[in-house]
Amino acid sequence: MAVPAPGAGLPARVRIYEVGARDGLQNEKAIVPVEVKAEFIRRLAAAGLGTIEATSFVHPKWVPQLADAEQLMPLLDGLGVGPGGTNGSDSSTGDAAAREGAHGGAGTTGTSPLGANPARTSPVGTSPAGTSPVGIGRASASTAGADGAGGVRLPVLVPNERGVDRALALGVRDIAVFGSATESFAKANLNRTVDEALAMFAPVIAKAAGAGARVRGYLSMCFGDPWEGPVPIARVADISRRLLDLGCDELSLGDTIGVATPGHVSALLTTLNEAGVPTDRIGVHFHDTYGQALANTLAALQHGVTTVDASAGGLGGCPYAKSATGNLATEDLVWMLHGLGIDTGVDLGRLTATSVWMADQLGRPSPSRTVRALSHKEP
C-alpha cells in the first residue's frame, strides 16, 4: 500500500473524469450487453467516481458498440444528479475540465464470453464482485466522488444537433463534443476540416447551453498526429480558445497517440494560459503508448490542473489512430494520487474489483499494472 507523501505545489483534490464506459468500451469488437454496461457504471459509482462518461449519441453505423444509448440511460435513473436523476451539472467550475474523448470506431459483433457472464444487479452501495480486497488505498471523500455533488455526473458525447436532441430528450445535463487539433484527424474522425467541425459544433453547444447543460470540448491530437507529426503548440492554443468562445465550459486536451512528454505538457499549458485559457477550465487525457501518462499527469498537476481523464482497468484506445494504445488506467492514476496525498474520493479496492469484474466480462485480463498487482492476476 502506498504511503502518502504530499508533494509541494500540488492540488489537494483531483477530479477524475472516468471514461471507461464510453471511450474504454467503444472499440470492443464484441457487443457488450447494455445490462453489463449499466452495471459497470453502477460499480464505478460505488467505488466513488463522481464523473462517469456513459455513452455517445453517435449514429450506430459508425459506432455499433454505442447503439444502445437510449436503452442505457434509463437504466441509470437515480444514479446521477439533476432532473430525473439521469445526469447533472457540477456547480464547481474550478474542478471542472478535461478529456480527449469519444472517437467513433466501428466495431463488429463476434463471439466472446460476454453472453456467459451476465451483469449482476447489485445496488450501488454493495461491494462489487472481485478478488481484490476492498479497502486498498484511500478514499477520504464520500462515495459521491470527489466532485462534491450529491450524485454522479453522467456526461455523454454528441457528434451533431441530432445527437444533442436525443441526449437532451433523455434528461442528460452534461454534453461533450469532440474536435481535433489537426486537419488529418478531423478528416478521419469527422469527415470535416477543423473549421467545418467547429462550425458544426456551434449550434450543438448553443442548444445544450440553452437547455442548461454543461458542455465539454474534447480536443484530440494536441501533442502529435500519426499523419502530420508534431502538432504546433500555437495551433492547439488557438483551437482551444475557439472552443471556449463557442461556449464550452471545459476543455480536455488529448494526447491521442501517447507521444507527449512532461516538458511538452508544461509548455502547452503555459501557452494556453497566455492565450487566455484558464487552467481551471483545462483537463488532460493521456494515453500510455510510451509509458509517459503518469509523468505527464504529474506535470499537469504541477501546473495547477485538477481534472484528469482515466479509464478503469486501462480500457480503450483510438480506433482512428492505430498507434494509440490504451488510456491511462484509473487505478494507476489513483495509486499515484493517493501516494501524493491528493484526495480523489475513490476507494481503490472497490475500483480494482470492478475492473477485475469487467475484465471477466470481456474475457481478458486488465492491462493496468495496479489492477494486476492488487488482484494478483497476471496476463
Side-chain angles (χ1 to χ4, degrees), residues 21-314:
R22 198 276 307 162
D23 190 27
L25 295 179
Q26 69 176 1
N27 206 35
E28 289 292 322
K29 287 183 168 53
I31 299 300
V32 180
V34 66
E35 295 83 5
V36 172
K37 294 174 184 175
E39 179 67 5
F40 185 35
I41 292 170
R42 286 192 289 265
R43 291 177 185 229
L44 291 170
L49 288 157
T51 302
I52 305 169
E53 193 166 71
T55 188
S56 172
F57 286 82
V58 67
H59 194 286
K61 173 184 176 182
W62 300 114
V63 189
Q65 185 65 255
L66 304 181
D68 55 8
E70 268 95 355
Q71 289 73 49
L72 174 64
M73 298 309 292
L75 295 178
L76 303 176
D77 278 351
L79 182 62
V81 297
T86 302
N87 203 337
S89 299
D90 189 350
S91 60
S92 169
T93 59
D95 287 331
R99 181 211 138 114
E100 178 258 313
H103 344 292
T108 56
T109 57
T111 303
S112 82
L114 288 169
N117 292 281
R120 298 182 184 180
T121 55
S122 59
V124 166
T126 63
S127 297
T131 58
S132 64
V134 172
I136 298 172
R138 178 177 66 87
S140 52
S142 71
T143 55
D147 291 344
V152 179
R153 291 176 57 188
L154 299 171
V156 302
L157 187 76
V158 299
N160 49 34
E161 285 191 82
R162 170 61 179 149
V164 76
D165 287 341
R166 292 167 60 200
L168 293 175
L170 290 171
V172 171
R173 291 296 177 264
D174 279 279
I175 299 295
V177 296
F178 178 71
S180 170
T182 67
E183 296 292 349
S184 296
F185 192 67
K187 183 67 173 177
N189 193 51
L190 298 170
N191 197 29
R192 285 170 171 80
T193 67
V194 169
D195 287 344
E196 288 169 346
L198 291 172
M200 178 178 68
F201 296 152
V204 174
I205 295 170
K207 183 171 288 190
R214 288 177 55 82
V215 182
R216 159 181 264 219
Y218 286 121
L219 190 58
S220 63
M221 301 296 176
C222 289
F223 298 90
D225 177 286
W227 299 280
E228 299 181 19
V231 179
I233 287 176
R235 178 170 180 78
V236 178
D238 174 65
I239 300 172
S240 296
R241 180 68 259 176
R242 291 167 69 184
L243 281 168
L244 289 185
D245 290 343
L246 285 175
C248 288
D249 297 291
E250 61 183 14
L251 299 175
S252 175
L253 307 177
D255 181 21
T256 315
I257 59 173
V259 296
T261 55
H264 193 169
V265 171
S266 297
L268 175 57
L269 293 172
T270 298
T271 302
L272 285 167
N273 293 159
E274 293 170 348
V277 179
T279 301
D280 64 4
R281 295 178 73 179
I282 297 172
V284 289
H285 181 103
F286 295 117
H287 284 207
D288 206 31
T289 312
Y290 295 93
Q292 299 293 295
L294 285 176
N296 291 334
T297 298
L298 182 57
L301 298 177
Q302 290 168 334
H303 193 88
V305 171
T306 58
T307 296
V308 181
D309 296 359
S311 177

